[in-house]
Amino acid sequence: MKKDLLNEALGFINEAYIHEAADITPKKRISLKKLPMLAAAILCLAVLTVGVAAIGMRYFVPGVGILDDGSMSVYISEGEIKLGEGTIDAILVTDYGDHKEANIWVWRPASMGIIGTVDGRVPAELDNVYVVAADGSLIEHRGGGMATEGFSNYIYPDVPSTESITIRDNSGNEVTVPLTDLNKSEYAGVEGIRIGEDKTFAAIPVADSANLIAAEFYDPLTVELASDAASVSAHCIAATVTETDEYGMIAGSIILKGVDNNRNGSSGVMDVGSKCYNKGITKLMPKSINLNFHYDITSDVPEVTFPLPEVGETIEVDLTVYDSEYFTLKVTSVTNSEEGLQYTYDIQNHIDDPTFHISFFDVDDYIYGAVDYMNGQTHIKNDHARINVFNMNMDHERGTFITDHSDPDFPAVPIEPGTEITISLMMMTCEYHPENYNYQDPMSNLGVIDFSK
Amino acid sequence: MQDNEIISMLEDRDESAIAQLVLSYGRLLRSIAENILRSSEDAEECVNDALLKVWNTVPPVKPQSLCSYAAMVTRGLAINRYNSHHADKRVHNTTPLDELADFLTTGETPEDSIEAQALAEAINAFLAKLDADSRILFIRRYWYCDSMASLASRLNISENNLNVRLYRIRRKLKQHLERSHLL
């Protein structure tokens, strides 16, 4: 649905509802009538102790990620680029063989509401940036996004050359920027740090600015888990270091701004704090990395059934609602309480990593039954309709359920105890803490990325 | 001060009505603008514009609820301002409205023929049938554009919990709109 249409419609929302919601206080707090309780045992978070070793053969490219040497060719601009009155932080062209893609990074703090000069830097107020094609036509960006602190990157999916790139702004200012093979640039061989078996954390200053840090995290399990997820959010806390004491110990650590980044799970690399603006960082230490995988499950989960207990009754069941190589999720009992249906669960984690666990999930419960009613002018008739039972409208006097279809056009369906209820997994969120360092103990820091070298 | 007293002051062209309006609802209006614009400076300007618009429109408008009216004016101005800042669409910020619009997107949407008024009526009918808690949740998220974190905090529930609640409400709204042939 188009956002403009939706927005216009929301402009006509009944004023009473707006007033009703104007002041929400704990008195109006929402009580969930059915919240699956997680087994407490899964919340065990182990602190892994792993060694650190420099990673060779991999390097980190801002906007692209950590690359295996030779997997693709990357060309990068060196130094800031002036375009009219604006400044472009970095241009990066990746040659994928069949096409060449450009990433252009621009600092536009006004887009984040940051007005004026920041730390002496004059922000770019470019209305648009085009890449000039070989025939002189203008190539518009096809994607991109806004990072923290007003950094934006624009993606141009097919640019003509890896030797140089010509860009133009709205006012017709144009500049041709030579590109350097990354392997021959100052970023060649940038080392990440190994923070666990096959896990890498890498960060580099972007272009020639030590204030602009891009950081990413790579780990095969993360990639695997992310591949099926509807969305992934990553949160990284790292310490930035601006100085060391006389013994070379780290002094004056501060927390690098953590970034939540929603990213489609198809990506192989998680951004965990990219493009943060911090003044004078010389070193960076990863402190903790938390990942959340959100799964909207619509297929490939079994439907399981149980007879609706009497109100107040609990029945023991053994229903597998999800079974994968990662874990098995079972419903072990169902209680028909005054509040609605309540389930207890058993989760068997098959991954030998206690920092990976299911943090939340929910099941859909429904019956299959016949419906035959008029919805306006439409006759709805289905002998095997899936009718959701959200448990919000209990009929305590009769001790029966009524479906959640409070629409008067949709008939309420009474459900007697003994009625076969079907459930299936609807969504779940998994948490993964690949590393969790002891932030309080500077000696426990397992790796430092030194930008000053 | 009661709404009707402030409205009377507005009708009398008493400029202290604006101060009273700020006293009563300034914080709310500010939060609406900030939720949408994510910038305190922009939000402040937006609220000032909204106050001016309320001053210029009351009278002749005589709102039943001054709070709702001022909130609607603020929201409209904030969204206009947001759209104006992002007109080139090169930044991909996700707003609560995007979240809802995306969820309500189907491959067969006859939305070109849908009028906002009809959609609004359907949404109002849907909200009327929702329980109060769910309705407040919906309005706070998609009308006031509260962030997930702040809404979860205000309601004293986890973000995951909130996510599930919103997912269910969105799904019910989608079903409602499909039954109303608006999707």
Side-chain angles (χ1 to χ4, degrees):
Chain A
M1 175 169 285
K2 286 176 184 164
K3 195 170 83 169
D4 291 348
L5 174 67
L6 184 61
N7 181 40
E8 193 178 348
L10 288 175
F12 294 113
I13 288 294
N14 190 326
E15 278 188 36
Y17 303 146
I18 297 160
H19 189 77
E20 176 184 46
D23 181 29
I24 50 171
T25 66
K27 282 188 295 185
K28 286 187 177 177
R29 120 184 181 188
I30 292 166
S31 60
L32 267 191
K33 293 172 181 164
K34 182 187 66 172
L35 235 183
M37 300 301 293
L38 290 178
I42 65 170
L43 291 172
C44 172
L45 183 69
V47 176
L48 298 179
T49 305
V50 292
V52 179
I55 303 293
M57 304 303 289
R58 270 185 183 153
Y59 54 87
F60 176 81
V61 179
V64 175
I66 300 165
L67 301 178
D68 290 325
D69 194 12
S71 61
M72 59 187 79
S73 303
V74 179
Y75 302 84
I76 191 166
S77 60
E78 296 194 88
E80 287 183 352
I81 301 148
K82 300 299 290 183
L83 180 61
E85 294 299 311
T87 303
I88 290 180
D89 274 280
I91 299 178
L92 187 139
V93 175
T94 306
D95 188 348
Y96 291 95
D98 57 346
H99 72 285
K100 303 173 187 69
E101 181 182 285
N103 270 262
I104 296 182
W105 288 11
V106 182
W107 186 49
R108 298 177 65 240
S111 61
M112 296 288 289
I114 302 169
I115 308 297
T117 302
V118 179
D119 289 336
R121 268 170 66 91
V122 179
E125 291 304 339
L126 300 168
D127 290 332
N128 212 334
V129 180
Y130 303 96
V131 172
V132 181
D135 63 0
S137 61
L138 298 181
I139 303 171
E140 291 192 51
H141 66 89
R142 297 277 178 83
M146 179 180 287
T148 56
E149 307 295 324
F151 287 97
S152 299
N153 84 296
Y154 308 135
I155 299 169
Y156 302 76
D158 205 358
V159 297
S161 170
T162 57
E163 293 181 1
S164 64
I165 187 167
T166 302
I167 53 176
R168 184 185 295 177
D169 66 12
N170 265 358
S171 305
N173 297 302
E174 192 172 295
V175 61
T176 297
V177 182
L179 299 171
T180 305
D181 185 335
L182 185 76
N183 286 312
K184 297 172 185 170
S185 78
E186 59 182 302
Y187 303 120
V190 166
E191 293 177 345
I193 51 173
R194 190 189 296 278
I195 56 175
E197 189 175 357
D198 295 329
K199 302 180 179 79
T200 312
F201 181 80
I204 61 164
V206 174
D208 62 349
S209 168
N211 299 323
L212 180 58
I213 303 297
E216 291 197 353
F217 166 72
Y218 173 84
D219 142 51
L221 179 59
T222 299
V223 174
E224 194 175 338
L225 293 170
S227 63
D228 294 329
S231 66
V232 180
S233 62
H235 186 79
C236 173
I237 297 174
T240 57
V241 182
T242 54
E243 57 183 285
T244 55
D245 63 20
E246 58 187 305
Y247 304 107
M249 299 289 290
I250 292 160
S253 297
I254 58 168
I255 296 176
L256 182 69
K257 186 169 187 164
V259 175
D260 287 322
N261 178 45
N262 292 316
R263 184 161 185 170
N264 191 295
S266 61
S267 170
V269 183
M270 300 297 115
D271 282 350
V272 287
S274 60
K275 300 174 276 294
C276 295
Y277 187 78
N278 274 275
K279 183 76 175 172
I281 298 169
T282 57
K283 295 176 182 173
L284 186 73
M285 301 175 297
K287 291 292 187 179
S288 68
I289 300 170
N290 302 327
L291 296 159
N292 286 279
F293 305 91
H294 181 81
Y295 299 88
D296 283 333
I297 297 170
T298 54
S299 61
D300 300 330
V301 290
E303 287 187 331
V304 293
T305 61
F306 60 89
L308 178 66
E310 298 280 355
V311 174
E313 183 190 7
T314 297
I315 59 170
E316 302 298 319
V317 293
D318 181 15
L319 307 172
T320 300
V321 293
Y322 190 79
D323 190 22
S324 74
E325 61 185 302
Y326 306 132
F327 50 83
T328 301
L329 179 59
K330 289 186 172 190
V331 174
T332 55
S333 75
V334 184
T335 301
N336 188 358
S337 73
E338 292 285 315
E339 300 262 294
L341 282 180
Q342 294 179 347
Y343 303 95
T344 56
Y345 297 92
D346 176 47
I347 300 168
Q348 295 160 14
N349 188 349
H350 305 318
I351 293 184
D352 188 22
D353 186 337
T355 68
F356 172 70
H357 62 263
I358 301 175
S359 59
F360 192 82
F361 60 90
D362 198 8
V363 295
D364 220 359
D365 36 23
Y366 43 92
I367 63 169
Y368 284 108
V371 294
D372 188 352
Y373 67 101
M374 292 298 293
N375 177 25
Q377 301 299 312
T378 308
H379 184 195
I380 307 292
K381 188 175 189 307
N382 189 337
D383 292 333
H384 195 63
R386 174 173 156 156
I387 305 167
N388 280 93
V389 183
F390 291 149
N391 301 334
M392 289 182 179
N393 298 314
M394 294 285 292
D395 183 341
H396 298 298
E397 288 185 5
R398 288 194 295 169
T400 58
F401 279 94
I402 299 176
T403 72
D404 187 45
H405 298 282
S406 48
D407 185 342
D409 293 332
F410 196 101
V413 179
I415 308 171
E416 302 297 334
T419 300
E420 192 174 71
I421 304 289
T422 304
I423 58 173
S424 61
L425 191 64
M426 181 175 72
M427 60 83 72
M428 65 181 169
T429 301
C430 298
E431 275 185 33
Y432 179 35
H433 301 261
E435 296 304 326
N436 189 19
Y437 302 107
N438 181 354
Y439 182 69
Q440 300 302 320
D441 178 7
M443 294 302 290
S444 72
N445 295 309
L446 300 178
V448 176
I449 297 169
D450 191 342
F451 300 127
S452 60
K453 288 178 182 174
Chain B
M1 185 172 281
Q2 298 292 316
D3 272 11
N4 55 358
E5 294 175 80
I6 303 177
I7 291 172
S8 294
M9 292 166 72
L10 287 166
E11 288 172 341
D12 294 342
R13 301 283 84 188
D14 178 351
E15 291 180 4
S16 59
I18 296 299
Q20 286 300 328
L21 194 56
V22 171
L23 205 59
S24 298
Y25 304 120
R27 197 171 160 189
L28 172 72
L29 304 185
R30 175 77 180 228
S31 77
I32 293 170
E34 279 192 347
N35 283 344
I36 295 166
L37 294 167
R38 311 281 168 86
S39 154
S40 54
E41 288 184 21
D42 269 3
E44 192 170 327
E45 286 180 24
C46 180
V47 169
N48 286 337
D49 289 349
L51 293 171
L52 181 64
K53 188 164 181 179
V54 170
W55 172 260
N56 287 336
T57 54
V58 181
V61 173
K62 186 159 187 172
Q64 286 187 326
S65 160
L66 188 59
C67 168
S68 302
Y69 180 72
M72 291 169 88
V73 168
T74 306
R75 182 177 182 276
L77 290 174
I79 286 176
N80 286 346
R81 187 177 280 250
Y82 177 91
N83 289 339
S84 154
H85 284 189
H86 299 81
D88 56 7
K89 303 204 185 293
R90 65 186 157 185
V91 289
H92 292 178
N93 272 359
T94 301
T95 65
L97 213 52
D98 292 315
E99 171 185 292
L100 184 59
D102 288 348
F103 190 85
L104 295 178
T105 296
T106 68
E108 300 166 349
T109 303
E111 63 185 48
D112 288 344
S113 60
I114 297 175
E115 290 185 0
Q117 189 73 43
L119 184 60
E121 284 173 14
I123 294 174
N124 276 325
F126 168 76
L127 291 173
K129 291 167 193 162
L130 273 186
D131 61 276
D133 283 348
S134 298
R135 185 167 56 241
I136 289 169
L137 195 55
F138 182 92
I139 294 287
R140 290 299 317 189
R141 177 65 179 159
Y142 300 118
W143 200 91
Y144 286 91
C145 296
D146 280 356
S147 71
M148 292 293 282
S150 93
L151 190 51
S153 168
R154 294 179 77 165
L155 297 170
N156 200 20
I157 59 177
S158 71
E159 283 192 48
N160 274 330
N161 187 328
L162 180 61
N163 198 22
V164 171
R165 295 276 306 192
L166 287 168
Y167 174 81
R168 289 186 158 178
I169 294 170
R170 289 198 304 268
R171 190 173 62 171
K172 290 171 80 175
L173 174 61
K174 191 173 188 177
Q175 289 170 347
H176 175 80
L177 295 178
E178 281 170 348
R179 288 207 296 274
S180 305
H181 305 292
L182 290 169
L183 281 183

